[in-house]
C-alpha cells in the first residue's frame, strides 16, 4: 500500500502524539495533570443543553442538515456580530457555519491556495494554519511573533517579493499561544497591505470572549474595508464552553465565504440540527454568565502566573485566552522541560516548539483545570525542578 506523499511529508498533529503518551501513563494508573490543551472544563449553561435535547426529540431532526447551516443559526451569528462588535453581516452571503472552526481553517486553504502560493503564518501559531497550507500545496512564510513587539508580527519586515506572492495572511488575536491582544490600528495597517498586495486576511478570533480585567477584544471586521479583503473565523468552543459540540463559523467577505462553501459542500454535509438549535440558544440567550465564567478563569490565571514566576518561569499576565506563555527557567529547552515534567511530575505543558520555531524557550500552560489542580501541578513541578538538571 502506498500512502500519498502529501501525507507522508506532513508532520503528524503534535497534540495527537502527546494524547497517546498521556493515555499510556493513565493506563498504568498515573494521574496526569494536563495543562496542555485549551479545552474548556466547564459546561455550557443548562438552557443550551435543554435546547439541544428538545430539538433532538423532534422526529424530523435526524435528517441531513444541509450545507450552509440553518437560517436561524446564520441569523443568530449575524445578530451576535452586531451586538458584540457592531458589525453588520448578511446572513445569506457573509455567514457560514462550520463543524468547529478548525475544519474551516484547514478547508479555506483549498479555496484560496494553489500549488506554490505563499501563505503568511504567525510563528508561534495554531498548527492548522500551516498544515492547511501544506495540504493545499502552498508554501508557508513564517512571521515571527516576538515578546518585544507585543507578539504582533512586524508587517513591515515581510520582504516585498513575499508579499507579492502571498495569497493569504493568518492573524489570531487574542493570540494562542502567547495570550497577546491586538489594537485596531494593527488591523487597519493589515487592510492597507491586503489591498495593496491583493491577499486575503484570515482572522482567527475564537478567544474574543475569554477576556479579563475589563479588556474587550475587537473583531478584525470592525475596521473599515476589512470585509473587502478578509474573513474572520469564530467558534462557540471557548466563548460558550462548547468545544465538543463542534460549532464554529466563517464570516465576512462574501466571495471567500462562497468559495469555502463550494469546498465544504463537496466534503461534508453540515452540522446535526439539534446542535445548531443549541448553538442558536447559546448565541441568543442570556450572556451574563460569560463574565462570571471569565472570573473563574481569571482566578486560576492569577494562581498560575504567581506560581510559575516563583518557580523561575518568566511570563506576562494575559488579558485574554486560556493560556500563560511562559519562558522556561534558565538552562532548559522547551522540549526537554515538557518531556521531563510529563515523565517525572505527571504534568503536561505544551512546549512552545509545537507552535513553530519561535516557540523555543517557552511553554504554553492552560488554565482549564480548577485552582486545586493548578496548585498540585505547581507543587509537582517544584519537586522535579529541584532534582532534575536541564
Ligand atoms: C487559535 C485557535 N483557533 C482555532 C481553534 C479551533 O477551535 P474549534 O475548532 O474548537 O472551533 C483553536 C482551538 O484551540 C484555537 O486555539
Amino acid at each position: 500500500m502506498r500512502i500519498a506523499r502529501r501525507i507522508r511529508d506532513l508532520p503528524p498533529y503534535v497534540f495527537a502524539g502527546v494524547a497517546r503518551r498521556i493515555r499510556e501513563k493513565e493506563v498504568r494508573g498515573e494521574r496526569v495533570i494536563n495543562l496542555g490543551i485549551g479545552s474548556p472544563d466547564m459546561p455550557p449553561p443548562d438552557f443550551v443543553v435543554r435546547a439541544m435535547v428538545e430539538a433532538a426529540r423532534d422526529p424530523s431532526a435526524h435528517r441531513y442538515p444541509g450545507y450552509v447551516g440553518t437560517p436561524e443559526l446564520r441569523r443568530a451569528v449575524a445578530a451576535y456580530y452586531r451586538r458584540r462588535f457592531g458589525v453588520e453581516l448578511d446572513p445569506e452571503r457573509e455567514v457560514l457555519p462550520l463543524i468547529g472552526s478548525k475544519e474551516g481553517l484547514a478547508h479555506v486553504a483549498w479555496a484560496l491556495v494553489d500549488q506554490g502560493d505563499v501563505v503568511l503564518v504567525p510563528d508561534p501559531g495554531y498548527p492548522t494554519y500551516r498544515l492547511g497550507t501544506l495540504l493545499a500545496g502552498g508554501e508557508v512564510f513564517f512571521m515571527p511573533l516576538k515578546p518585544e513587539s507585543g507578539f504582533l508580527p512586524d508587517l513591515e519586515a515581510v520582504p516585498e517579493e513575499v508579499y507579492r506572492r502571498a495569497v493569504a495572511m493568518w492573524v489570531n488575536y487574542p493570540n494562542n499561544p502567547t495570550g497577546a491582544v491586538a489594537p485596531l490600528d494593527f488591523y487597519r495597517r493589515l487592510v492597507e497591505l491586503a489591498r495593496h498586495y491583493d491577499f486575503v486576511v484570515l482572522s482567527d478570533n475564537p478567544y474574543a470572549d475569554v477576556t479579563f480585567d475589563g479588556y474587550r477584544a475587537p473583531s478584525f471586521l470592525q475596521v473599515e474595508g476589512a470585509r473587502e479583503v478578509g474573513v474572520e473565523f469564530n467558534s462557540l468552543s471557548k466563548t460558550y464552553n462548547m468545544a465538543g459540540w463542534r460549532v464554529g463559523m466563517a464570516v465576512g467577505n462574501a466571495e471567500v465565504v462562497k468559495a469555502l462553501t463550494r469546498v465544504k459542500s463537496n466534503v461534508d454535509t453540515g452540522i446535526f440540527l439539534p446542535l445548531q438549535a443549541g448553538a442558536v440558544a447559546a448565541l441568543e440567550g442570556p450572556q451574563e454568565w460569560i463574565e462570571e465564567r471569565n472570573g473563574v478563569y481569571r482566578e486560576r490565571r492569577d494562581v498560575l502566573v504567581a506560581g510559575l514566576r516563583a518557580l523561575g518561569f518568566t511570563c506576562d499576565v494575559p488579558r485574554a485566552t486560556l493560556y500563560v506563555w511562559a519562558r522556561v527557567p534558565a538552562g532548559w529547552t522547551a522540549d526537554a522541560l515538557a518531556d521531563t515534567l510529563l515523565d517525572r511530575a505527571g504534568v503536561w505543558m505544551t512546549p512552545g516548539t509545537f507552535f513553530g520555531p519561535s516557540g523555543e524557550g517557552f511553554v504554553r500552560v492552560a488554565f482549564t483545570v480548577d485552582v486545586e489542580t493548578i496548585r498540585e501541578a505547581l507543587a509537582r513541578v517544584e519537586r522535579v525542578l529541584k532534582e532534575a538538571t536541564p
Side-chain angles (χ1 to χ4, degrees):
M1 186 192 294
R2 192 188 62 101
I3 301 298
R5 180 168 307 119
R6 186 186 313 114
I7 296 302
R8 276 183 281 150
D9 291 352
L10 204 66
Y13 194 64
V14 277
F15 289 93
V18 170
R20 190 169 3 94
R21 275 176 72 193
I22 292 176
R23 246 190 338 272
E24 284 164 7
K25 286 175 93 62
E26 287 173 341
V27 165
R28 291 200 298 270
E30 293 178 45
R31 192 170 86 83
V32 176
I33 300 180
N34 190 346
L35 307 179
I37 186 155
S39 186
D41 58 315
M42 294 176 268
D46 199 46
F47 67 82
V48 172
V49 177
R50 274 205 314 272
M52 184 266 282
V53 169
E54 270 159 37
R57 293 221 165 85
D58 179 346
S60 72
H62 303 272
R63 58 197 155 87
Y64 285 121
Y67 304 102
V68 293
T70 60
E72 291 80 12
L73 179 55
R74 276 180 278 123
R75 280 200 297 269
V77 168
Y80 165 82
Y81 262 78
R82 183 183 314 120
R83 180 180 78 230
R84 178 62 184 79
F85 303 113
V87 170
E88 291 292 334
L89 294 167
D90 175 351
E92 298 304 315
R93 297 168 53 251
E94 295 177 323
V95 175
L96 178 64
L98 302 170
I99 308 174
S101 65
K102 185 178 178 184
E103 64 95 348
L105 308 184
H107 285 138
V108 77
W110 294 9
L112 298 177
V113 179
D114 281 323
Q115 196 75 30
D117 285 342
V118 169
V119 176
L120 299 157
V121 170
D123 162 35
Y126 189 63
T128 301
Y129 313 143
R130 170 165 165 258
L131 296 198
T133 304
L134 296 177
L135 270 178
E139 274 177 38
V140 169
F141 183 88
F142 275 138
M143 301 181 295
L145 308 185
K146 298 184 179 152
E148 58 271 24
S149 324
F151 297 108
L152 294 170
D154 183 351
L155 298 174
E156 316 309 321
V158 176
E160 172 88 18
E161 78 269 14
V162 172
Y163 268 137
R164 292 203 179 283
R165 289 178 56 212
V167 293
M169 182 193 288
W170 281 103
V171 292
N172 162 225
Y173 295 97
N175 182 257
N176 174 14
T178 68
V181 298
L184 281 175
D185 272 349
F186 170 75
Y187 292 137
R188 289 194 186 100
R189 180 68 184 133
L190 206 49
V191 169
E192 280 172 12
L193 288 166
R195 275 196 180 130
H196 185 76
Y197 292 109
D198 191 24
F199 61 78
V200 176
V201 175
L202 302 168
S203 165
D204 185 24
N205 200 7
Y207 297 97
D209 290 312
V210 183
T211 60
F212 319 113
D213 310 326
Y215 175 70
R216 298 261 302 161
S219 160
F220 161 70
L221 294 173
Q222 277 171 242
V223 165
E224 207 190 316
R227 114 183 37 211
E228 279 80 66
V229 297
V231 288
E232 185 155 279
F233 292 85
N234 211 321
S235 173
L236 274 66
S237 294
K238 323 284 174 173
T239 298
Y240 296 106
N241 299 348
M242 290 165 69
W245 290 52
R246 315 308 302 132
V247 182
M249 57 272 209
V251 298
N253 185 274
E255 214 181 322
V256 177
V257 166
K258 188 172 167 194
L260 181 54
T261 307
R262 177 85 66 92
V263 174
K264 277 176 52 60
S265 57
N266 280 289
V267 170
D268 69 63
T269 312
I271 306 166
F272 185 41
L273 288 169
L275 296 176
Q276 298 195 54
V280 170
L283 288 160
E284 291 185 342
Q287 306 287 307
E288 293 73 27
W289 67 275
I290 294 174
E291 188 67 30
E292 226 169 279
R293 185 274 316 272
N294 287 348
V296 174
Y297 283 143
R298 192 191 54 233
E299 188 195 349
R300 297 170 176 185
R301 175 201 69 178
D302 291 346
V303 170
L304 185 59
V305 165
L308 287 171
R309 285 177 174 169
L311 294 176
F313 292 79
T314 315
C315 56
D316 292 333
V317 181
R319 284 195 287 168
T321 77
L322 301 168
Y323 314 109
V324 175
W325 184 240
R327 197 180 275 287
V328 299
W332 288 96
T333 64
D335 287 22
L337 181 69
D339 273 341
T340 303
L341 292 180
L342 179 58
D343 284 342
R344 296 179 54 180
V347 173
W348 174 246
M349 303 175 173
T350 310
T353 47
F354 275 29
F355 304 96
S358 297
E360 182 50 270
F362 291 88
V363 283
R364 190 195 73 173
V365 195
F367 35 96
T368 45
V369 297
D370 61 30
V371 167
E372 290 315 300
T373 310
I374 290 173
R375 287 194 209 282
E376 187 188 334
L378 290 166
R380 289 190 194 184
V381 171
E382 181 174 20
R383 243 176 283 133
V384 169
L385 284 182
K386 270 194 189 133
E387 296 160 8
T389 40

